[in-house]
Amino acid sequence: MINTQDILETINMIREENLDIRTITMGISLLDCADSDAGRACDRIYDKICRKAENLVKTGEEIEKEYGVPIINKRIAVTPISMIFASAGGDPIKYAKTLDKAAKAVGVNFLGGYSALVQKGFAKGDEELIRSIPEALAVTERLCSSVNIGSTKAGINMDAVALMGKIVRESAVLTKDKGLVGPSKLVVFCNAPDDNPFMAGAFHGAGEPDSVINVGVSGPGVVRSALTKIPDGNITDVADVVKKTAFKITRVGQLVASRAAEKLGVPFGIVDLSLAPTPAVGDSVAHILEEMGLEQCGACGTTACLALLNDAVKKGGVMASSHVGGLSGAFIPVSEDAGMIDAARSGTLKIEKLEAMTAVCSVGLDMIAVPGDTPAEVISAIIADEAAIGMVNSKTTAVRVIPAIGRSDDDEVEFGGLFGSSPIMKVNTSSPAKFINRGGRIPAPLQSLKN
């Protein structure tokens, strides 16, 4: 039976507490677009994306009106383009421009999948596509890119790690006059999921259906508001409140995902439970941690609070949806979270503390501005550290760092929109160059042997 109080509570979450559906993402397989001729392959890619996603934006807008739930983004994720590029070769930038053109044609704000999966080594076309990423992100508007360089089963491809430090830096150089948009749309993963609806790391995995709808929910403000009602509750009370709130948030996501799949005539894939913050006041994961009892995010105890939050969100969410996937938990992007921004500005939150937090959160070091003169080997070492955390703990970790070319650690970068702004965080520049340049592969850990 529908409970009137639940309906009123959900309406208040939307109006007062920034509850929204962060994204409806359509995954589209491009495996059947591969061709020995690059021109024909690109034509097939464009035609299939436009055919499958022609009603995606309109459907999202209709559901917004039908249920009164804001749907912030409508997006597309495609098969990692390195798999298609391997068949025909040619100029990878042609594929990038084709994807960007298709994204504009159907009206989505981002398209993810200019990607390569190289955790165990480079297959045909992988390295050439990776080396094209800086130019691809500089000449397109809506394209996002990701590279998976490690996994618990495969270990860490250190040749790819060394290359990605250079790619991140080159991407920043090429877009330094465009708000550093290049590295803000580039994610380096360990254990990348096949069904992630969030950008910039979304791609459509090889084991996914021909097309599918995945939805990412969000509601940090809702969780924080719920916690304000138990100022004297113990830690068990805190966990219970977060679980119950996550259940309600996820039910909204399940409803929207099922309706979108029905209207578009494609399968419903997953709901991603992640608490995805924005720079808006009242929409911060950091403020949830502070509501638990921290003076400011980054203080001692932050990692414990985040572990509690992440676990409770997952426990509440999995009861609310038949299919949960993606990243699912709590995001901690520095520039996209008002509380994280304040903590970084004050010096309470440092990059070393963020790294510790990534051991228990959903993703990793996300949207962090670092000094513009940070060497490529240091960026590679940051990637390696995060990948090691993900590999050993059998979880997804990622790095999205922004070398602020021409600026130092006493400055701040303004990205605008959902990307927000970020103080430039100090980085330990003691050289890891010899380690990074050894190459090879860090072996998979013992816990990978589960067969």
Side-chain angles (χ1 to χ4, degrees):
M1 181 180 293
I2 297 175
N3 186 302
T4 304
Q5 182 59 38
D6 286 345
I7 295 172
L8 293 173
E9 189 175 49
T10 303
I11 291 171
N12 185 63
M13 288 176 181
I14 295 166
R15 288 181 176 174
E16 307 294 335
E17 298 166 1
N18 296 303
L19 174 63
D20 59 53
I21 300 299
R22 187 54 50 86
T23 181
I24 291 180
T25 301
M26 176 178 276
I28 302 174
S29 172
L30 301 182
L31 293 175
D32 57 347
C33 298
D35 195 282
S36 59
D37 180 82
R40 284 198 300 267
C42 286
D43 289 343
R44 290 179 177 181
I45 288 168
Y46 180 82
D47 290 344
K48 183 167 187 180
I49 292 172
C50 290
R51 184 176 72 255
K52 289 285 187 179
E54 63 177 339
N55 294 318
L56 177 61
V57 173
K58 182 178 74 171
T59 297
E61 292 169 347
E62 289 172 352
I63 293 172
E64 283 186 278
K65 294 175 183 176
E66 185 176 353
Y67 295 126
V69 180
I71 301 173
I72 307 303
N73 299 298
K74 295 84 179 175
R75 297 166 169 172
I76 293 170
V78 300
T79 304
I81 287 298
S82 65
M83 295 181 181
I84 314 304
F85 175 67
S87 297
D91 182 3
I93 300 302
K94 185 170 185 176
Y95 291 83
K97 290 180 176 178
T98 297
L99 294 171
D100 197 51
K101 180 182 175 184
K104 291 175 183 176
V106 299
V108 295
N109 67 321
F110 284 128
L111 184 151
Y114 198 77
S115 307
L117 311 179
V118 295
Q119 57 267 27
K120 212 167 184 177
F122 297 103
K124 181 182 177 182
D126 285 341
E127 187 170 351
E128 187 175 355
L129 184 119
I130 290 171
R131 290 187 183 278
S132 76
I133 288 172
E135 182 183 354
L137 296 180
V139 301
T140 58
E141 294 179 16
R142 308 187 189 198
L143 188 67
C144 293
S145 182
S146 59
V147 178
N148 192 70
I149 50 80
S151 74
T152 300
K153 292 293 287 184
I156 301 171
N157 180 352
M158 290 301 292
D159 294 310
V161 168
L163 178 57
M164 287 312 301
K166 298 172 184 175
I167 295 301
V168 169
R169 183 165 176 80
E170 184 182 344
S171 186
V173 170
L174 287 184
T175 58
K176 65 180 180 180
D177 297 324
K178 297 180 181 179
L180 297 166
V181 69
S184 72
K185 296 193 295 178
L186 172 58
V187 180
V188 186
F189 275 117
C190 178
N191 289 321
D194 288 345
D195 54 5
N196 166 27
F198 286 99
M199 297 296 168
F203 61 84
H204 187 70
E208 294 289 298
D210 188 60
S211 58
V212 69
I213 287 293
N214 298 319
V215 166
V217 298
S218 186
V222 178
V223 175
R224 184 192 183 191
S225 178
L227 290 177
T228 62
K229 298 177 176 63
I230 55 160
D232 300 319
N234 64 27
I235 293 299
T236 303
D237 297 330
V238 169
D240 286 344
V241 165
V242 174
K243 281 193 294 184
K244 291 173 182 175
T245 307
F247 178 89
K248 295 171 185 174
I249 294 169
T250 307
R251 290 300 284 175
V252 175
Q254 170 84 10
L255 175 66
V256 169
S258 300
R259 185 66 174 137
E262 177 189 349
K263 289 172 75 70
L264 289 164
V266 299
F268 157 52
I270 58 93
V271 174
D272 187 313
L273 314 177
S274 299
L275 296 179
T278 71
V281 174
D283 203 23
S284 163
V285 168
H287 289 160
I288 297 174
L289 306 181
E290 290 164 10
E291 194 63 47
M292 290 182 184
L294 302 176
E295 181 178 358
Q296 191 168 37
C297 180
C300 295
T302 297
T303 305
C305 288
L306 183 59
L308 182 156
L309 175 65
N310 214 51
D311 179 65
V313 165
K314 291 181 179 182
K315 286 176 177 173
V318 295
M319 295 298 292
S321 176
S322 53
H323 298 289
V324 170
L327 298 164
S328 289
F331 289 179
I332 52 170
V334 173
S335 78
E336 298 174 14
D337 184 306
M340 296 283 180
I341 295 169
D342 289 342
R345 281 178 182 151
S346 71
T348 304
L349 183 63
K350 301 182 185 299
I351 197 167
E352 291 81 7
K353 186 63 176 180
L354 277 164
E355 184 178 301
M357 293 165 66
T358 64
V360 299
C361 78
S362 288
V363 194
L365 296 173
D366 195 16
M367 286 302 292
I368 296 173
V370 298
D373 60 356
T374 303
E377 292 87 357
V378 171
I379 297 171
S380 291
I382 291 171
I383 293 169
D385 283 344
E386 272 306 295
I389 290 172
M391 177 185 72
V392 171
N393 290 288
S394 302
K395 69 183 292 292
T396 300
T397 50
V399 172
R400 186 164 47 150
V401 295
I402 321 293
I405 304 301
R407 306 189 197 183
S408 62
D409 56 25
D410 58 355
D411 205 346
E412 192 160 314
V413 180
E414 180 65 47
F415 300 109
L418 283 176
F419 286 147
S421 62
S422 175
I424 296 173
M425 304 188 80
K426 291 184 178 180
V427 174
N428 185 335
T429 56
S430 294
S431 179
K434 184 176 180 180
F435 167 64
I436 295 300
N437 291 327
R438 283 180 180 272
R441 182 153 53 98
I442 294 179
L446 187 61
Q447 55 265 43
S448 69
L449 301 177
K450 294 182 179 180
N451 292 335

